[in-house]
Amino acid sequence: MNSERPFCLMPFIHYHVGNAGYVKACCVSNITYGNCNTQAFSDIWRGDAINALRNKFKNGEFDPRCAVCLKLEEAGGKSIRQETHERFVWRNESEVNPLPIYFDIRFSNACNFACRTCWHGASSAWFPEANKLKRNAGNTALIQNITDFKNFISQTGEALLKAEEIYFAGGEPLLSEEHYALLNYLIDNKHTKLRLRYNTNFSVLEFKGHQILDYWKQFEHVEILASLDAHKNLGEYIRKGFNWNIFVENRNAIRELSHIRFKIAPTISVLSIANLPDLYKTCLDLEIIGKDDFYINILERPHFYNIKAIPEQLKSKIEKSFDEFYSWANQNEMPQSVLKQFEECIAYMQAEDLSKHWKKFIEETELFDKMRGESSTDLKNTFGTFYTNK
């Protein structure tokens, strides 16, 4: 590798704001450049921390703090590093971008779901249970990452008006007042040809008088990555707050906006992996997605939800069900890009034995079943005796 293709593009094009306003290399690394609440944008974007990483990547080196991407690649999955190389064109060293062109902004942890694989730092709805279990990330349900929106815009606005893409996640971005304020800023300044991408639970289309469809009509490129791990009862079990019928209604409500690309983006965990073929087929049958509107996120931590933690006999059972899905998919001419993602899941699952964490998975599941008054016959049918085998 050399400066014409650095190890990772992120520090050259990307600006990620996460928990407590810390600006990091990306949403999965632990590489911090500064804090947008206490430092000027220019000091962060041209600072020593980000320049040190740029120099390292230009030399073809990787940083140990990038282990998430490396482990995923080694296990057969596709990492954010690889995806960024595919989606963005690198300008050579003499044309280094003076401003970021790709933003990932997490304004707060505001969210109406308490998904089992999530935590309080990413969901305000998690606070009551997290506080009870002493797993809370703060003393209040809502954690504001950007404390002064006007200051953020004054510092970052010039770059935002030259951005090629803004990615919104959360929390739940459609429940963030700052999200709508930013869209208004882009519209007022006639910067509407960029790409808006969302990772959203897609449970609401209106928030405090803001009709999101009225906003999306004004932008040329909108992509929805709907956080849907399973359909119907299992989906509602994994993501507390999810309602399958409302999800389908909301999907139908945006069909009139043909410029919106709608995908499902399941988080691949112990809870969801066995249901993945049925989820894909169900969403196709109901015309929720097109054949290639599928985008997986493989969960790494906590380890007890990582699919590598599944006992070997169960892994074999899941792999066999995927083989049956491949046969169906080939007969029905499903895209190779989709099949490759299913294959990545199996390759990742089989890459390492983390079954020592299976007992913790059962304990955690029983704990939240009791707290929430829930249970899942889908999981019990899938895991059989392993479900009670601690």
Side-chain angles (χ1 to χ4, degrees):
M1 296 183 197
N2 53 46
S3 61
E4 294 185 1
R5 183 179 167 84
F7 177 77
C8 181
L9 284 183
M10 286 300 203
F12 303 94
I13 66 169
H14 184 60
Y15 195 81
H16 168 67
V17 180
N19 288 94
Y22 285 105
V23 178
K24 295 189 174 184
C26 66
C27 63
V28 296
S29 75
N30 193 28
I31 303 175
T32 303
Y33 303 146
N35 190 300
C36 71
N37 291 322
T38 59
Q39 295 173 263
F41 167 80
S42 58
D43 290 344
I44 296 173
W45 186 246
R46 298 183 180 91
D48 292 341
I50 194 171
N51 282 328
L53 190 63
R54 286 169 179 156
N55 289 333
K56 180 176 287 190
F57 285 171
K58 278 193 275 188
N59 291 328
E61 303 172 25
F62 84 96
D63 190 290
R65 294 167 294 179
C66 297
V68 170
C69 279
L70 270 294
K71 288 179 68 175
L72 184 59
E73 292 170 19
E74 290 170 358
K78 179 182 286 187
S79 70
I80 290 177
R81 182 189 80 89
Q82 292 172 318
E83 182 182 308
T84 305
H85 272 295
E86 291 177 0
R87 293 178 53 243
F88 292 92
V89 177
W90 164 245
R91 286 80 166 172
N92 65 40
E93 190 172 0
S94 63
E95 299 174 343
V96 170
N97 298 293
L99 294 171
I101 60 172
Y102 172 28
F103 282 82
D104 175 356
I105 304 171
R106 319 284 174 102
F107 287 110
S108 73
N109 72 333
C111 189
N112 55 340
F113 282 14
C115 306
R116 291 198 177 219
T117 54
C118 195
W119 69 300
H120 177 220
S123 170
S124 56
W126 248 86
F127 179 71
E129 292 169 334
N131 193 44
K132 184 177 181 179
L133 296 171
K134 301 189 185 308
R135 300 179 186 179
N136 48 308
N139 296 322
T140 59
L142 182 67
I143 300 173
Q144 202 70 38
N145 295 332
I146 296 177
T147 56
D148 187 336
F149 180 78
K150 289 183 178 179
N151 178 65
F152 176 76
I153 288 295
S154 70
Q155 290 288 334
T156 319
E158 179 187 356
L160 287 166
L161 294 179
K162 294 181 180 179
E164 294 179 10
E165 180 175 309
I166 300 178
Y167 174 66
F168 294 106
E172 170 47 51
L174 300 184
L175 293 176
S176 166
E177 294 188 56
E178 293 84 0
H179 157 257
Y180 296 97
L182 178 53
L183 294 189
N184 281 324
Y185 177 77
L186 297 172
I187 292 168
D188 290 345
N189 286 277
K190 297 180 171 54
H191 187 48
T192 57
K193 293 185 178 181
L194 79 168
R195 290 188 302 273
L196 301 182
R197 295 178 74 234
Y198 289 83
N199 188 286
T200 167
N201 63 41
F202 206 60
S203 63
V204 296
L205 299 180
E206 185 275 337
F207 177 67
K208 294 187 176 181
H210 298 290
Q211 302 290 336
I212 189 58
L213 299 192
D214 291 340
Y215 285 89
W216 287 341
K217 288 174 183 177
Q218 300 181 68
F219 289 87
E220 291 191 8
H221 307 283
V222 180
E223 181 175 275
I224 307 299
L225 303 173
S227 302
L228 178 66
D229 295 346
H231 55 296
K232 299 184 179 179
N233 292 339
L234 181 58
E236 294 173 355
Y237 174 83
I238 297 173
R239 293 184 176 270
K240 183 180 180 182
F242 173 67
N243 182 296
W244 170 253
N245 292 328
I246 291 175
F247 176 84
V248 174
E249 289 174 7
N250 288 344
R251 173 65 183 101
N252 290 332
I254 68 167
R255 293 189 188 279
E256 63 181 84
L257 302 180
S258 59
H259 71 292
I260 295 180
R261 180 76 181 273
F262 187 89
K263 300 181 180 181
I264 57 169
T267 296
I268 310 304
S269 71
V270 173
L271 297 166
S272 64
I273 181 66
N275 182 252
L276 197 60
D278 283 344
L279 171 65
Y280 178 74
K281 287 196 243 183
T282 298
C283 288
L284 273 184
D285 289 342
L286 297 178
E287 298 183 344
I288 290 172
I289 58 171
K291 288 184 177 181
D292 58 352
D293 296 330
F294 185 72
Y295 180 94
I296 62 169
N297 297 294
I298 297 179
L299 177 148
E300 186 192 19
R301 291 185 179 180
H303 286 137
F304 57 83
Y305 282 136
N306 189 313
I307 55 178
K308 295 177 181 177
I310 297 172
E312 184 55 43
Q313 190 173 340
L314 271 177
K315 286 182 179 180
S316 298
K317 178 182 176 181
I318 292 169
E319 186 169 5
K320 183 178 179 181
S321 73
F322 273 48
D323 288 339
E324 294 170 355
F325 169 76
Y326 299 146
S327 177
W328 170 88
N330 287 321
Q331 289 174 10
N332 290 276
E333 299 182 342
M334 295 297 117
Q336 288 301 310
S337 59
V338 169
L339 293 179
K340 190 174 187 303
Q341 291 184 71
F342 277 84
E343 291 167 355
E344 286 173 8
C345 293
I346 296 300
Y348 182 83
M349 180 180 72
Q350 296 288 22
E352 187 178 1
D353 179 8
L354 293 181
S355 58
K356 64 183 179 181
H357 298 287
W358 184 254
K359 179 181 177 181
K360 177 63 176 175
F361 163 69
I362 298 298
E363 292 172 349
E364 192 78 359
T365 301
E366 290 178 345
L367 171 65
F368 279 88
D369 279 356
K370 184 176 181 179
M371 290 181 69
R372 296 179 174 184
E374 298 176 342
S375 64
S376 173
T377 55
D378 295 284
L379 290 184
K380 291 177 180 177
N381 290 337
T382 297
F383 297 142
T385 57
F386 287 93
Y387 199 76
T388 54
N389 180 14
K390 299 181 182 181

